[in-house]
Amino acid sequence: DPSLRLSLRLIPYSDELWLLVARDVSKMMRLEQMRRDFVANVSHELRTPLTVVHGYLDMLDPGDQPEWAPILEEMRHQSQRMTQLVEDLLTLSRLEAQDSVVDEEVAMDSMLVTLRREAEALSQRRHDISVEDRAGIDLLGSTRELHSAFSNLVGNAVRYTPAGGSIAITFARTADGGAELSVRDSGYGIPAAHLPRITERFYRVSTSRSRESGGTGLGLAIVKHILQLHQARLGIQSEVGSGSTFACRFGPERVHARDRAFTPVPA
Ligand code: ADP
């Protein structure tokens, strides 16, 4: 049966004997696929009507009814949020359906320039932003997806750091010959109890603060998926009141072949 999917576990039984436990997970995987297809289809179907509503809202003018201005503004804001949510759901569906990424050369110098520009645009001079390239190498992977992952982390750092705080983006080599892009902020921080679940879809520490911050609750789920596709890991360190560091760790195989011979510079 080509649709049969088994999950196998080998359990030590005695000195010489092992137990092989095979579990039929076909049904579970079929249901999971149905859930994914459903989310992808619904998101896709919502896209067109949302574009139409958004387009007409932009054309509306309060005219001689000034009390309509804040209402229109709020409607535009909410339809913008809904559009972002649908886009994020579609991104997540696309990532879930993928099991590998292209291996193109990811120019990290221009990536860092872009991230700095984005951080500055979001921060509007409310934070002290620093960007440092300690590695001077390039990565292998999908430039578009990696940019989306890093950019999500930078966006969170700005959104969850009060004015006057600092944000540091650092690209460095790791001891194993790989590389790490980290985003450190001096913001609100995340209570330890929430950390294990923080990358789940729609999981949020404080609903009100997160909603005000304008996110969709899907950012870190997207980051995790993109990193998984690059066999990379997301390290999170955080302390309430002093800030958080999100580190994307890439193995040596993700360092561009040209740069692999360089010995990592100790931090
Ligand atoms: P959201 O759109 O709500 O920001 P994310 O998936 O990006 O969704 O993040 C999930 C939750 O993790 C956020 O709602 C917030 O509570 C917490 N979080 C993410 N990044 C940070 C950060 N840099 N500092 C503090 N909390 C954060």
Side-chain angles (χ1 to χ4, degrees):
D1 178 359
S3 73
L4 183 67
R5 294 283 177 279
L6 294 177
S7 148
L8 302 176
R9 262 180 80 193
L10 205 50
I11 304 165
Y13 182 69
S14 69
D15 273 357
E16 294 167 12
L17 289 178
W18 291 73
L19 281 179
L20 177 64
V21 179
R23 189 164 154 237
D24 182 354
V25 289
S26 318
K27 189 169 168 219
M28 203 176 79
M29 289 184 74
R30 247 192 333 267
L31 286 174
E32 176 64 14
Q33 189 57 48
M34 276 168 68
R35 180 195 66 76
R36 284 182 194 171
D37 291 348
F38 178 75
V39 173
N41 291 338
V42 170
S43 315
H44 195 80
E45 292 300 321
L46 283 173
R47 215 181 200 175
T48 314
L50 270 175
T51 312
V52 174
V53 170
H54 203 69
Y56 281 133
L57 276 175
D58 269 348
M59 282 164 56
L60 283 181
D61 188 285
D64 54 3
Q65 306 267 45
E67 68 274 21
W68 275 86
I71 297 171
L72 275 177
E73 192 46 44
E74 182 61 12
M75 286 169 82
R76 281 189 196 113
H77 174 68
Q78 295 297 344
S79 92
Q80 180 62 41
R81 264 189 64 191
M82 235 186 316
T83 307
Q84 188 57 50
L85 185 59
V86 165
E87 290 306 319
D88 280 0
L89 281 169
L90 282 170
T91 301
L92 209 49
S93 304
R94 181 173 54 74
L95 291 168
E96 280 177 337
Q98 238 169 294
D99 46 25
S100 65
V101 277
V102 287
D103 266 355
E104 63 193 15
E105 177 172 345
V106 183
M108 288 304 287
D109 50 355
S110 53
M111 175 79 79
L112 291 168
V113 170
T114 309
L115 292 177
R116 178 196 284 278
R117 220 180 36 229
E118 288 172 352
E120 284 170 352
L122 278 171
S123 160
Q124 301 278 331
R125 297 178 189 277
R126 284 177 294 125
H127 307 91
D128 173 32
I129 294 162
S130 72
V131 178
E132 193 188 353
D133 184 1
R134 288 200 215 130
I137 58 155
D138 290 329
L139 293 176
L140 282 176
S142 156
T143 305
R144 188 184 125 179
E145 309 290 14
L146 287 178
H147 168 250
S148 153
F150 301 156
S151 172
N152 257 299
L153 296 178
V154 169
N156 281 352
V158 174
R159 294 188 294 121
Y160 297 111
T161 303
S166 59
I167 289 148
I169 303 168
T170 312
F171 185 49
R173 295 300 294 270
T174 50
D176 65 353
E180 174 183 284
L181 184 121
S182 65
V183 181
R184 197 179 72 230
D185 66 59
S186 67
Y188 304 116
I190 303 161
H194 292 280
L195 285 181
R197 300 191 57 195
I198 202 82
T199 58
E200 287 175 18
R201 300 182 193 91
F202 298 118
Y203 190 87
R204 290 164 144 182
V205 175
S206 138
T207 323
S208 57
R209 181 182 288 160
S210 307
R211 201 157 280 153
E212 276 164 28
S213 81
T216 60
L218 294 171
L220 289 180
I222 292 176
V223 172
K224 198 178 88 177
H225 265 87
I226 293 174
L227 291 184
Q228 258 167 14
L229 286 172
H230 288 83
Q231 296 83 41
R233 296 169 59 92
L234 181 64
I236 312 174
Q237 271 182 324
S238 191
E239 211 176 304
V240 176
S242 39
S244 320
T245 304
F246 286 79
C248 309
R249 305 206 171 104
F250 300 88
E253 72 287 350
R254 284 285 158 198
V255 170
H256 193 284
R258 182 191 59 227
D259 298 324
R260 269 181 218 162
F262 290 179
T263 16
V265 187

